[in-house]
Structure formats: C-alpha cells, structure tokens
Amino acid sequence: DPGNRAQNKLNILGKMLRIDVDGGSPYAIPATNPFASDADYLPEIWALGLRNPWRFSFDRVTGDLFTADVGQGEYEEIDFQVFSSCGGENYGWRLKEGDSCFNPPDSCDTLVGLTDPITFYTHGGSPFRCSITGGYVYRGCAIPDLQGHYFYADYCSAQIWSFRYDGVNISDSTQRTADLEAGTIAVSSF
C-alpha cells in the first residue's frame, strides 16, 4: 500500500464497503452507514484500515464478523466486528500490522480509534507461516465440542487452528492440523 490508500478516507481501497445493490443505479448508500453524511469520507465505507482480507465470514448464530487479513512484513491477523456494530472501525493498516507499528515505525499507539486484531501470528517458523486464510465459526452437529470455534489456516505452512471468542477473550486456541489430517495441503479457502 505505497500510497497509504487504506487510511485515505476518499479511496475505496483497503476498506470494507456497504452498499444497497437494489436501491439505486448502480447502487444506493444505506442511510445507516457510519460515514453516509460525512463529506470527509466516501459514503460506501463501512470500515477502513484493511490490507488484504482473505475471507470474511459471519457467525451464523451471533452475526459477528471475522476477517482474516493477510499481513505484509511480519504478522497475519484476525479482525473482529460485533454484530451490533454501527461500523466505522479502523483496523489500522498501514499504521499497524498485528499489534506493532508499521508505517510510521513507532508512536502508532498514540493514534486514537484504531481497532486492534483479536489475534495475530508471526511469519516464519517451521513450517514457514506467511499468509492467513480465514474460515468459519463451526456451527455443525457432528462434533459438539467444536461448537463456536472459529477455524483459520496458513496457506504457506498448511497449518490449521481454531479458537473460541466471546467478544472479549479467546479461549480453547488449538492447532488442528493433525486432527484434520492436513499439513501438506495449502489451504486457500474453507
């Protein structure tokens, strides 16, 4: 993002947009969008500060939104938006990556209003991790112990993990690669 477009309020790149495809030509802006009447922002913007989201998914039970956002330098992250949100979250790219300053390289914690990821992991390791793939919150019947677990993977390492998130804390964070007999298959989608 050399032009810092994810933080540019008048550019659609690096944003989550919310539009009404049935309300106009080519679309309408929902009146409840957080910036619908703010001339400093494009009215389509629902959230900003994303780098490269690789799969959004809504929890079928709660309506909460999980976003796996592919990092650039060191971190892969999972962002979260509670169902009751009115929008307007700024997930921080390119000011931050994971919980660390990116550009500028320091003092980004002084910025007000950034929404930190609920979890993140570093590039590297063995097997080598480098690109997150977002999944889903499991709501099936076949494995009751996994009810409410959000699943995600790393494309490069072929590792798969899951965790529960209650809106505040992560619990039951577990690597599932062996359980799912994965480990050699690059996961690009669930």
Short mmCIF file of all heavy atoms in Angstrom, two decimals, residues 114-139:
data_model
loop_
_atom_site.label_atom_id
_atom_site.label_comp_id
_atom_site.label_asym_id
_atom_site.label_seq_id
_atom_site.Cartn_x
_atom_site.Cartn_y
_atom_site.Cartn_z
N LEU A 114 -8.07 3.23 16.70
CA LEU A 114 -7.74 2.03 15.94
C LEU A 114 -8.29 0.80 16.65
O LEU A 114 -8.26 0.72 17.88
CB LEU A 114 -6.22 1.90 15.76
CG LEU A 114 -5.52 3.01 14.98
CD1 LEU A 114 -4.03 2.70 14.84
CD2 LEU A 114 -6.16 3.21 13.62
N THR A 115 -8.79 -0.14 15.88
CA THR A 115 -9.32 -1.39 16.40
C THR A 115 -8.27 -2.47 16.20
O THR A 115 -7.97 -2.84 15.06
CB THR A 115 -10.63 -1.78 15.69
OG1 THR A 115 -11.58 -0.72 15.88
CG2 THR A 115 -11.19 -3.07 16.21
N ASP A 116 -7.70 -2.97 17.28
CA ASP A 116 -6.66 -3.99 17.19
C ASP A 116 -7.25 -5.34 16.80
O ASP A 116 -8.42 -5.63 17.09
CB ASP A 116 -5.93 -4.14 18.53
CG ASP A 116 -4.99 -2.98 18.81
OD1 ASP A 116 -4.49 -2.36 17.85
OD2 ASP A 116 -4.76 -2.69 20.00
N PRO A 117 -6.43 -6.20 16.18
CA PRO A 117 -6.90 -7.55 15.88
C PRO A 117 -7.16 -8.32 17.17
O PRO A 117 -6.56 -8.01 18.21
CB PRO A 117 -5.74 -8.16 15.09
CG PRO A 117 -4.53 -7.37 15.46
CD PRO A 117 -5.04 -5.98 15.78
N ILE A 118 -8.03 -9.32 17.09
CA ILE A 118 -8.27 -10.14 18.28
C ILE A 118 -7.16 -11.16 18.47
O ILE A 118 -6.92 -11.61 19.58
CB ILE A 118 -9.65 -10.84 18.25
CG1 ILE A 118 -9.80 -11.75 17.02
CG2 ILE A 118 -10.76 -9.79 18.32
CD1 ILE A 118 -11.06 -12.61 17.05
N THR A 119 -6.46 -11.52 17.39
CA THR A 119 -5.29 -12.37 17.48
C THR A 119 -4.46 -12.18 16.22
O THR A 119 -4.94 -11.68 15.21
CB THR A 119 -5.66 -13.86 17.69
OG1 THR A 119 -4.48 -14.60 18.03
CG2 THR A 119 -6.32 -14.47 16.47
N PHE A 120 -3.21 -12.58 16.31
CA PHE A 120 -2.29 -12.49 15.17
C PHE A 120 -1.18 -13.49 15.40
O PHE A 120 -1.00 -14.00 16.50
CB PHE A 120 -1.73 -11.06 15.00
CG PHE A 120 -0.99 -10.57 16.20
CD1 PHE A 120 0.39 -10.75 16.32
CD2 PHE A 120 -1.66 -9.92 17.23
CE1 PHE A 120 1.06 -10.29 17.44
CE2 PHE A 120 -0.99 -9.46 18.35
CZ PHE A 120 0.38 -9.65 18.45
N TYR A 121 -0.45 -13.78 14.34
CA TYR A 121 0.73 -14.63 14.46
C TYR A 121 1.82 -14.12 13.53
O TYR A 121 1.55 -13.37 12.60
CB TYR A 121 0.40 -16.11 14.20
CG TYR A 121 -0.09 -16.45 12.81
CD1 TYR A 121 0.81 -16.79 11.79
CD2 TYR A 121 -1.45 -16.46 12.52
CE1 TYR A 121 0.35 -17.11 10.53
CE2 TYR A 121 -1.90 -16.79 11.26
CZ TYR A 121 -1.00 -17.12 10.26
OH TYR A 121 -1.44 -17.44 9.00
N THR A 122 3.04 -14.53 13.82
CA THR A 122 4.19 -14.03 13.07
C THR A 122 4.48 -14.89 11.85
O THR A 122 4.14 -16.07 11.80
CB THR A 122 5.46 -13.99 13.93
OG1 THR A 122 5.75 -15.32 14.36
CG2 THR A 122 5.28 -13.08 15.12
N HIS A 123 5.13 -14.28 10.89
CA HIS A 123 5.68 -15.01 9.75
C HIS A 123 6.85 -15.84 10.26
O HIS A 123 7.43 -15.55 11.30
CB HIS A 123 6.18 -14.06 8.68
CG HIS A 123 5.09 -13.33 7.97
ND1 HIS A 123 5.33 -12.38 7.02
CD2 HIS A 123 3.73 -13.40 8.07
CE1 HIS A 123 4.19 -11.90 6.55
NE2 HIS A 123 3.21 -12.50 7.20
N GLY A 124 7.22 -16.85 9.49
CA GLY A 124 8.39 -17.65 9.84
C GLY A 124 8.00 -18.95 10.50
O GLY A 124 6.89 -19.46 10.33
N GLY A 125 8.90 -19.45 11.29
CA GLY A 125 8.67 -20.71 11.98
C GLY A 125 8.95 -21.90 11.08
O GLY A 125 9.36 -21.78 9.94
N SER A 126 8.71 -23.07 11.64
CA SER A 126 8.88 -24.30 10.89
C SER A 126 7.70 -25.21 11.23
O SER A 126 7.57 -25.63 12.37
CB SER A 126 10.19 -24.97 11.28
OG SER A 126 10.37 -26.16 10.55
N PRO A 127 6.81 -25.42 10.27
CA PRO A 127 6.85 -24.98 8.88
C PRO A 127 6.63 -23.47 8.76
O PRO A 127 6.02 -22.85 9.62
CB PRO A 127 5.73 -25.77 8.21
CG PRO A 127 4.79 -26.13 9.31
CD PRO A 127 5.61 -26.23 10.56
N PHE A 128 7.12 -22.93 7.66
CA PHE A 128 7.12 -21.49 7.43
C PHE A 128 5.70 -20.94 7.25
O PHE A 128 4.96 -21.41 6.39
CB PHE A 128 7.97 -21.16 6.19
CG PHE A 128 8.10 -19.69 5.93
CD1 PHE A 128 8.97 -18.93 6.69
CD2 PHE A 128 7.34 -19.07 4.97
CE1 PHE A 128 9.10 -17.56 6.46
CE2 PHE A 128 7.45 -17.70 4.73
CZ PHE A 128 8.34 -16.95 5.49
N ARG A 129 5.32 -19.95 8.08
CA ARG A 129 4.00 -19.31 8.00
C ARG A 129 4.13 -17.96 7.29
O ARG A 129 5.07 -17.21 7.56
CB ARG A 129 3.44 -19.09 9.40
CG ARG A 129 3.20 -20.37 10.17
CD ARG A 129 2.70 -20.11 11.58
NE ARG A 129 3.61 -19.27 12.35
CZ ARG A 129 4.63 -19.73 13.07
NH1 ARG A 129 4.89 -21.00 13.11
NH2 ARG A 129 5.40 -18.90 13.74
N CYS A 130 3.16 -17.63 6.40
CA CYS A 130 3.30 -16.35 5.69
C CYS A 130 1.99 -15.77 5.16
O CYS A 130 2.00 -14.65 4.69
CB CYS A 130 4.27 -16.50 4.53
SG CYS A 130 3.59 -17.39 3.14
N SER A 131 0.86 -16.49 5.21
CA SER A 131 -0.35 -15.95 4.58
C SER A 131 -1.60 -16.59 5.18
O SER A 131 -1.88 -17.78 4.95
CB SER A 131 -0.31 -16.21 3.06
OG SER A 131 -1.45 -15.65 2.45
N ILE A 132 -2.37 -15.82 5.91
CA ILE A 132 -3.56 -16.33 6.59
C ILE A 132 -4.71 -16.59 5.61
O ILE A 132 -4.88 -15.87 4.63
CB ILE A 132 -4.00 -15.37 7.72
CG1 ILE A 132 -4.98 -16.05 8.67
CG2 ILE A 132 -4.57 -14.08 7.13
CD1 ILE A 132 -5.20 -15.29 9.97
N THR A 133 -5.46 -17.63 5.89
CA THR A 133 -6.69 -17.95 5.17
C THR A 133 -7.81 -18.02 6.20
O THR A 133 -7.78 -18.87 7.10
CB THR A 133 -6.59 -19.30 4.44
OG1 THR A 133 -5.52 -19.26 3.51
CG2 THR A 133 -7.88 -19.63 3.71
N GLY A 134 -8.78 -17.12 6.11
CA GLY A 134 -9.88 -17.11 7.05
C GLY A 134 -10.88 -18.22 6.76
O GLY A 134 -11.04 -18.65 5.62
N GLY A 135 -11.55 -18.66 7.81
CA GLY A 135 -12.52 -19.73 7.68
C GLY A 135 -13.87 -19.34 8.23
O GLY A 135 -14.37 -18.25 7.94
N TYR A 136 -14.41 -20.20 9.07
CA TYR A 136 -15.76 -20.04 9.58
C TYR A 136 -15.83 -20.42 11.05
O TYR A 136 -15.00 -21.16 11.55
CB TYR A 136 -16.73 -20.97 8.83
CG TYR A 136 -16.83 -20.66 7.36
CD1 TYR A 136 -16.05 -21.33 6.43
CD2 TYR A 136 -17.70 -19.68 6.90
CE1 TYR A 136 -16.14 -21.04 5.09
CE2 TYR A 136 -17.80 -19.39 5.56
CZ TYR A 136 -17.01 -20.08 4.65
OH TYR A 136 -17.10 -19.78 3.32
N VAL A 137 -16.90 -19.95 11.71
CA VAL A 137 -17.23 -20.43 13.04
C VAL A 137 -18.03 -21.71 12.83
O VAL A 137 -19.03 -21.72 12.11
CB VAL A 137 -18.06 -19.39 13.82
CG1 VAL A 137 -18.50 -19.97 15.16
CG2 VAL A 137 -17.25 -18.12 14.03
N TYR A 138 -17.56 -22.79 13.45
CA TYR A 138 -18.22 -24.08 13.31
C TYR A 138 -19.55 -24.07 14.07
O TYR A 138 -19.60 -23.78 15.25
CB TYR A 138 -17.33 -25.21 13.84
CG TYR A 138 -17.97 -26.57 13.74
CD1 TYR A 138 -18.08 -27.22 12.52
CD2 TYR A 138 -18.47 -27.20 14.87
CE1 TYR A 138 -18.67 -28.47 12.42
CE2 TYR A 138 -19.07 -28.44 14.78
CZ TYR A 138 -19.17 -29.06 13.55
OH TYR A 138 -19.77 -30.31 13.47
N ARG A 139 -20.62 -24.40 13.36
CA ARG A 139 -21.95 -24.47 13.96
C ARG A 139 -22.64 -25.78 13.57
O ARG A 139 -23.85 -25.87 13.58
CB ARG A 139 -22.80 -23.27 13.52
CG ARG A 139 -22.30 -21.94 14.05
CD ARG A 139 -22.34 -21.87 15.55
NE ARG A 139 -21.88 -20.58 16.06
CZ ARG A 139 -21.71 -20.33 17.34
NH1 ARG A 139 -21.97 -21.24 18.25
NH2 ARG A 139 -21.29 -19.14 17.72
#
